[in-house]
Amino acid sequence: MTHSIRTQVAIIGAGPAGLLLGQLLHRAGIDAVIVERVSGEYVLGRIRAGVLEQVTIDLLEEAGVGERMHREGLVHGGFEMMYGGLRHRIDLQALTAGKKVMVYGQTEVTHDLMNARRAAGLPTYYEATDVQVHDFDTTHPRVTFKQGDQSFELACDFIAGCDGFHGVCRASVPPGAIREFEKVYPFGWLGLLADTPPVHDELLYVNSPRGFALCSQRSKTRSRYYLQVPLTDRVQDWTDDAFWQELRLRLDDATCAGLVTGPSLEKSIAPLRSFVTEPMRFGRMFLAGDAAHIVPPTGAKGLNLAATDVKYLSNALIEFYQEHSEAGIDSYSARCLRRIWKAERFSWWFTTLMHRFPEDSGITARFQEAELDYLLHSHAGSTSIAENYVGLPLDFAERSL
Ligand code: FAS
Ligand code: PHB
């Protein structure tokens, strides 16, 4: 027996993009059902992003989930960059007329959104299998899926593909209707989470002869560190002691003196890639977040780009239902991509500047040192880093659209 259900918007994926979209639509009185492949616990167990741009903070407030974020999140007015063993601070507030970022883990954002959805009694089908999207080139798209031994058919007006890089939605678009751009980097990030006090009160990005390192945090008692590692490395080959030893070798003595080590709560290796899908709309199906694009995490853009896709998409769907206008829907893809490509460019540039490339004959390192020396001693150069890091305004260069 197949259960036939109906909603206005079918959201595939209960990551931050899907959950945020569901929350914004709910607050506008629009029905949405979320279909998620794994359990909620599994989604929460993935340790990912750590830095929120102001645009994302504003959106989470609009979604009604800003209270704990403001209570527990850490507002940062700057971050540091290290090369040649010397640290330089990028004063975000001074360089961007007061803008800041917030350190508040993606896990917490997801937790807050899940709690809000549950409190509102909104439908989310976790551990769904055989999820398929149908007829999105018509005005009657459908989603079919199974949950346990039950089969479901979800009729809807729109499908939001918030199902990440490995999801089913982008994969369901006919090859001739989609163009994909990709660059894979010759290294990955080995991340470690530990209940130790952060080595510094702000984030520290390091370009060392042994490779990139990042000293980040989740709270004043929980740290997040990353090391650039070869793509051939496996996480099981890295003991905690080996991780801490290698991190020390990439830091200067003064920073090492403040490093508190401890047992890892989580360790994982993430590959780095730049990836963009064009367009992001296919009839009545829209891609948002990692389903449409991936950035190397160096610029802390992944989660923030997902949030701004969702802002454009929720505005377009609300406009459709409340004003019977398709203007927002028709401009969704172009508006998102204009912002996405600028964040892709910054993430690629920052990754290229701060990582050591295996084929580097030595001249690339000299170019990096020269560029860093210029940027960090130039107001224009530091301003460019700062305004991209805090996130370009939503309407940046949109006026010509
Ligand atoms: P997500 O991938 O978070 O969520 C997609 C959801 O769809 C998942 O829950 C998945 O289970 C579900 N799904 C997939 N296929 C499905 C199907 N067929 N049916 C139903 N559901 C399906 N960004 C940063 O800014 N900083 C970082 O340090 C950082 N580190 C990262 C590390 C890793 C390993 C990864 C993969 C990403 C990282 N990112 C980072 C990027 C990350 O934060 C993403 O930008 C963010 O999760 C995007 O959110 P979503 O678009 O919701 O995609
Ligand atoms: C993190 O804390 O996970 C983090 C912070 C900044 C980045 C990437 C990851 O650029």
Side-chain angles (χ1 to χ4, degrees):
M1 174 196 163
T2 297
H3 300 275
S4 295
I5 46 182
R6 195 189 196 306
T7 189
Q8 290 173 296
V9 182
I11 299 173
I12 314 299
L19 288 165
L20 179 56
L21 179 61
Q23 196 58 17
L24 292 171
L25 293 177
H26 168 63
R27 289 174 74 90
I30 297 168
D31 292 333
V33 170
I34 295 182
V35 180
E36 165 57 57
R37 180 175 59 179
V38 297
S39 69
E41 294 70 27
Y42 188 91
V43 175
L44 290 170
R46 293 187 299 231
I47 306 301
R48 290 187 174 168
V51 173
L52 305 183
E53 296 175 358
Q54 189 60 51
V55 171
T56 305
I57 295 166
D58 296 345
L59 259 179
L60 291 169
E61 285 174 359
E62 188 182 327
V65 294
E67 193 270 329
R68 186 165 78 103
M69 171 183 66
H70 284 297
R71 191 173 69 243
E72 298 180 11
L74 302 172
V75 177
H76 282 203
F79 66 89
E80 293 195 5
M81 296 170 67
M82 182 193 298
Y83 74 97
L86 298 175
R87 291 167 45 165
H88 303 262
R89 184 167 187 265
I90 297 290
D91 187 341
L92 296 173
Q93 280 189 279
L95 292 165
T96 64
K99 292 186 178 178
K100 294 163 275 188
V101 294
M102 181 181 285
V103 170
Y104 188 65
Q106 176 172 322
T107 304
E108 309 318 318
V109 170
T110 308
H111 219 292
D112 295 343
L113 287 165
M114 279 182 180
N115 287 344
R117 187 165 184 83
R118 191 180 310 110
L122 299 174
T124 308
Y125 291 81
Y126 285 104
E127 298 181 276
T129 56
D130 193 19
V131 179
Q132 296 181 41
V133 291
H134 311 273
D135 305 332
F136 50 82
D137 55 347
T138 76
T139 53
H140 302 287
R142 295 175 297 121
V143 178
T144 56
F145 62 95
K146 294 183 174 66
Q147 191 183 50
D149 59 359
Q150 306 286 310
S151 295
F152 294 82
E153 177 171 76
L154 175 59
C156 54
D157 300 330
F158 298 99
I159 296 173
C162 300
D163 49 347
F165 184 65
H166 300 289
V168 65
C169 293
R170 189 181 75 245
S172 301
V173 176
I178 195 168
R179 184 173 177 189
E180 297 180 348
F181 301 81
E182 185 169 41
K183 177 183 182 58
V184 179
Y185 296 86
F187 39 75
W189 275 21
L190 168 62
L192 181 144
L193 189 71
D195 273 337
T196 56
V199 72
H200 185 47
D201 58 357
E202 292 182 327
L203 271 58
L204 174 59
Y205 292 80
V206 181
N207 175 330
S208 92
R210 296 177 66 91
F212 171 82
L214 170 59
C215 302
S216 184
Q217 53 196 257
R218 289 293 178 270
S219 70
K220 296 205 180 301
T221 59
R222 180 165 287 191
S223 301
R224 178 72 170 164
Y225 293 100
Y226 294 97
L227 295 175
Q228 170 188 345
V229 294
L231 281 175
T232 49
D233 275 19
R234 301 179 309 158
V235 66
Q236 55 265 42
D237 298 334
W238 278 89
T239 63
D240 289 2
D241 287 346
F243 184 96
W244 296 120
Q245 184 181 343
E246 181 59 34
L247 178 61
R248 283 198 177 89
L249 291 172
R250 300 188 190 187
L251 298 174
D252 63 311
D253 293 345
T255 308
C256 280
L259 181 64
V260 178
T261 65
S264 60
L265 301 173
E266 185 267 358
K267 254 186 322 207
S268 54
I269 293 181
L272 270 63
R273 75 176 76 238
S274 301
F275 176 85
V276 179
T277 299
E278 289 186 0
M280 291 169 58
R281 179 223 178 154
F282 308 91
R284 287 291 182 101
M285 182 169 79
F286 302 86
L287 302 181
D290 277 17
H293 44 74
I294 296 286
V295 284
T298 322
K301 293 294 164 212
L303 175 56
N304 293 295
L305 274 183
T308 42
D309 289 352
V310 165
K311 169 135 182 92
Y312 290 137
L313 182 54
S314 60
N315 286 354
L317 293 171
I318 292 166
E319 182 187 72
F320 174 85
Y321 284 110
Q322 292 183 355
E323 300 169 30
H324 308 293
S325 161
E326 302 208 5
I329 287 172
D330 292 342
S331 64
Y332 168 73
S333 194
R335 292 187 78 185
C336 286
L337 286 167
R338 199 175 181 86
R339 182 175 180 82
I340 287 160
W341 276 114
K342 292 183 180 67
E344 289 279 349
R345 192 268 334 153
F346 173 69
S347 303
W348 157 78
W349 170 81
F350 201 18
T351 299
T352 306
L353 179 66
M354 297 303 287
H355 290 71
R356 293 297 167 112
F357 286 74
E359 80 287 354
D360 175 19
S361 64
I363 191 168
T364 308
R366 289 289 186 274
F367 285 155
Q368 288 177 337
E369 286 162 19
E371 183 167 11
L372 282 159
D373 193 21
Y374 160 66
L375 287 168
L376 298 174
H377 296 95
S378 153
H379 186 269
S382 299
T383 301
S384 177
I385 294 174
E387 68 179 4
N388 279 283
Y389 193 86
V390 298
L392 299 177
L394 270 182
D395 63 350
F396 184 89
E398 273 207 338
R399 294 173 195 89
S400 57
L401 265 186

